[in-house]
Amino acid sequence: MYNNDGFRELDRQECLERLSSADVGRVVFTRDALPAVLPVNFWLDQDGAVLLRTSAASEMVRAVDRAVVAFEADQVDAATHAGWSVVVTGVASVTADTAERDRLTAMGPRSWVPWPDEVFVRIVPEIITGRELLAGRTVYGVRLSP
């Protein structure tokens, strides 16, 4: 991010707070050597990991297991020109540990489209970045033109 781009950089804790308030995000991964983006519902675990719950047979699961991915969530109010965006970059993996799967089944994310054979994908954050725009004002307090 550029220091003069009109956005305020969020620190790690602010990024995690914003993520915990979001319902939907986008997972970015490589499919057939090309970038792919899928909207997903998610859950933020206590350690800051992003958790997804989906079909074990999904193409995404095969593509992301043990791969570096990005995950992005945001909230934007177009009328007031305010909002935030957070990007988590890290390695994704399908949870294989039985105790961990049991814990996540009890309290983790719920799939919006339940499948008979579901798995949990954990994205461990190696890099978390975020930025915020407050009602069309730059970091210098200058109002952006409409």
Side-chain angles (χ1 to χ4, degrees):
M1 285 181 265
Y2 300 103
N3 290 334
N4 63 353
D5 68 359
F7 290 87
R8 183 178 76 83
E9 191 171 335
L10 301 174
D11 65 29
R12 183 181 177 95
Q13 187 57 41
E14 289 174 308
C15 288
L16 293 173
E17 289 168 7
R18 299 299 193 292
L19 282 177
S20 70
S21 71
D23 295 318
V24 176
R26 285 153 292 284
V27 62
V28 182
F29 58 98
T30 303
R31 178 176 49 207
D32 298 328
L34 296 171
V37 180
L38 286 177
V40 292
N41 67 309
F42 71 100
W43 187 62
L44 194 64
D45 207 355
Q46 59 211 14
D47 64 356
V50 174
L51 293 161
L52 316 174
R53 185 175 184 168
T54 190
S55 166
S58 81
E59 185 177 331
M60 182 204 50
V61 167
R62 290 189 304 275
V64 304
D65 193 23
R66 296 182 302 275
V68 174
V69 301
F71 176 83
E72 189 270 345
D74 56 38
Q75 188 173 60
V76 177
D77 183 335
T80 64
H81 301 171
W84 57 265
S85 174
V86 171
V87 176
V88 172
T89 305
V91 176
S93 60
V94 174
T95 301
D97 180 72
T98 303
E100 178 67 356
R101 284 194 355 229
D102 290 345
R103 179 184 79 87
L104 294 174
T105 298
M107 56 189 295
R110 302 283 178 248
S111 179
W112 286 2
V113 182
W115 297 91
D117 187 19
E118 293 182 323
V119 295
F120 294 95
V121 175
R122 173 181 292 275
I123 302 169
V124 177
E126 294 178 23
I127 302 169
I128 300 178
T129 59
R131 56 193 218 158
E132 175 180 46
L133 177 64
L134 296 172
R137 294 202 175 272
T138 73
V139 292
Y140 307 109
V142 177
R143 178 99 177 131
L144 298 175
S145 58

